[in-house]
Every structure is written in structure tokens, then in C-alpha cells.
Amino acid sequence: MSKPNKRRYKLSEVKAQFTEAVGGDQVEFETDAGDCLTFPHPLFADDDWSEKVDGAESSKDKAIAILGEEQYEKYQAAGHSDGDIGLLFLAVQQDMQDQVKKRPTRS
């Protein structure tokens, strides 16, 4: 009787596969004023960042939680609304779901 084929994962390889699949551990985007801003990719964000984003009660609070105060000021100065960052965040999450489905399960 043969043993069933078991999968064994190596955590560093799994993380590398997901990082590659979603394009890195940071999300970069350009404002209409040409500033390049970043925030942690939700898949790799630390607990503090995730808790701030999840606990935000308004669009403005969520935008500040995602971008941080300094980048939020640049974002606002470029004429973007607080809701726009929510749309970007949603696009990142949808892209992540699409890309993760395509990642190899093993190296």
C-alpha cells in the first residue's frame, strides 16, 4: 500500500511566491500631481498598520491609516478625495486575489 502524496511547504518559499505574485510587499501609486506614494501591501502589512486601517471609522481616518500623515498631506494636495484611496485599496485587494490564484503551489 503506497503512502498518499503529502505536501510540505517551506515558509520562506511560500512568502517569496506570494510576494512575487502580487508584485512586492509595498503598493506604489502615483497621484495626479506626479508624486509616488506607497503603503504596505495588505498581505504583508504588520498588525499595527492592519488594526489602524480596519479600525478607521471614516474615509479620512482610513486614508490616513493607509498612507500615514505625511503622505496623506501630499495625497490631499494633489486633489484626491478620501474615498479615492478606498477605491485604490479595493483594486489592490482584487488584484491580489487574482494573482494569488495563479501562483505556483510549490517550487
Side-chain angles (χ1 to χ4, degrees):
M1 190 170 198
S2 66
K3 290 184 179 181
N5 189 9
K6 291 185 179 183
R7 287 189 176 191
R8 185 176 203 159
Y9 295 94
K10 187 171 181 181
L11 290 176
S12 60
E13 291 175 3
V14 170
K15 185 174 181 180
Q17 289 171 353
F18 276 102
T19 303
E20 183 178 337
V22 300
D25 61 0
Q26 293 284 309
V27 173
E28 290 184 6
F29 70 99
E30 187 174 323
T31 67
D32 290 344
D35 293 313
C36 181
L37 305 179
T38 64
F39 59 87
H41 194 288
L43 192 59
F44 303 106
D46 65 31
D47 290 342
D48 282 345
W49 185 88
S50 296
E51 287 173 11
K52 286 177 187 173
V53 171
D54 291 344
E57 294 186 15
S58 68
S59 295
K60 180 178 181 175
D61 292 341
K62 189 169 202 99
I64 292 170
I66 291 170
L67 297 174
E69 292 281 347
E70 185 178 317
Q71 289 194 120
Y72 177 75
E73 290 176 17
K74 290 180 183 178
Y75 176 80
Q76 285 280 226
H80 295 286
S81 73
D82 295 328
D84 289 345
I85 197 71
L87 294 173
L88 175 63
F89 200 72
L90 181 60
V92 168
Q93 289 175 320
Q94 287 178 337
D95 287 347
M96 174 180 60
Q97 290 172 353
D98 291 343
Q99 293 305 314
V100 165
K101 289 177 188 174
K102 298 176 188 175
R103 82 159 180 86
T105 56
R106 291 188 187 189
S107 58

